[in-house]
Amino acid sequence: MQIRPYLFFDGRCEEAIEFYKKTLGAEVQMLMRYNDSPQPHPPGMVPPGFENKVMHTTFRIGDSNVMAADDCTGHPNFQGFSLSLTVGNESEADRLFNALADGGQVRMPLTKTFFSPRFGMLADRFGVGWMIIVGT
């Protein structure tokens, strides 16, 4: 059994993927747009202008797969969870934290804690929560 995060973006999924490719080295495994669907969508499901938006994508960050799409039903709200990114050293933690924080909001600066030489929390420019930690 596996648990994989599924992130819903409000028309910015492709922009998010490009950001994660640049900052985290994400690799797209598959991407399907709404207009690529082999079956027609129910009437009213896909709002006008969303035909070329992402219906489903899977991308890999390190050893993990993340799934995502552009949500057609409203404005996604990333609350109540964070993606935890464990790295091997402090310089990698610094690099990734700063890259993800660009255009986002630092919730807890990256610092030494009793449980890790580096730990910090932020929301990236898309509102997705991240915790960066150096594994011990």
Side-chain angles (χ1 to χ4, degrees), residues 15-63:
E15 181 186 349
I17 292 166
E18 291 304 314
F19 179 70
Y20 299 142
K21 284 168 64 175
K22 182 178 124 192
T23 59
L24 301 173
E27 296 177 15
V28 175
Q29 305 295 303
M30 72 82 62
L31 187 141
M32 179 181 276
R33 299 180 188 285
Y34 283 99
N35 63 2
D36 294 331
S37 177
Q39 295 181 334
H41 299 288
M45 181 185 155
V46 180
F50 260 65
E51 298 83 7
N52 287 319
K53 298 294 182 181
V54 177
M55 184 174 82
H56 175 74
T57 186
T58 300
F59 55 97
R60 191 161 192 75
I61 298 173
D63 295 330

Side-chain angles (χ1 to χ4, degrees), residues 22-25 87 89-101 110 118 132:
K22 182 178 124 192
T23 59
L24 301 173
V87 299
N89 60 62
E90 295 175 38
S91 63
E92 184 72 353
D94 293 339
R95 184 183 73 77
L96 294 175
F97 188 90
N98 292 329
L100 286 169
L110 194 63
R118 283 275 198 282
I132 311 298

Side-chain angles (χ1 to χ4, degrees), residues 57-131:
T57 186
T58 300
F59 55 97
R60 191 161 192 75
I61 298 173
D63 295 330
S64 301
N65 285 332
V66 178
M67 296 180 286
D70 281 313
D71 182 18
C72 292
T73 62
H75 300 284
N77 192 358
F78 297 110
Q79 291 185 345
F81 78 96
S82 290
L83 300 177
S84 181
L85 188 59
T86 303
V87 299
N89 60 62
E90 295 175 38
S91 63
E92 184 72 353
D94 293 339
R95 184 183 73 77
L96 294 175
F97 188 90
N98 292 329
L100 286 169
D102 182 29
Q105 179 184 22
V106 173
R107 295 180 175 159
M108 178 184 168
L110 194 63
T111 188
K112 180 176 175 42
T113 65
F114 69 91
F115 55 86
S116 175
R118 283 275 198 282
F119 175 79
M121 299 186 301
L122 62 99
D124 68 23
R125 63 179 68 175
F126 305 99
V128 176
W130 292 88
M131 297 186 307

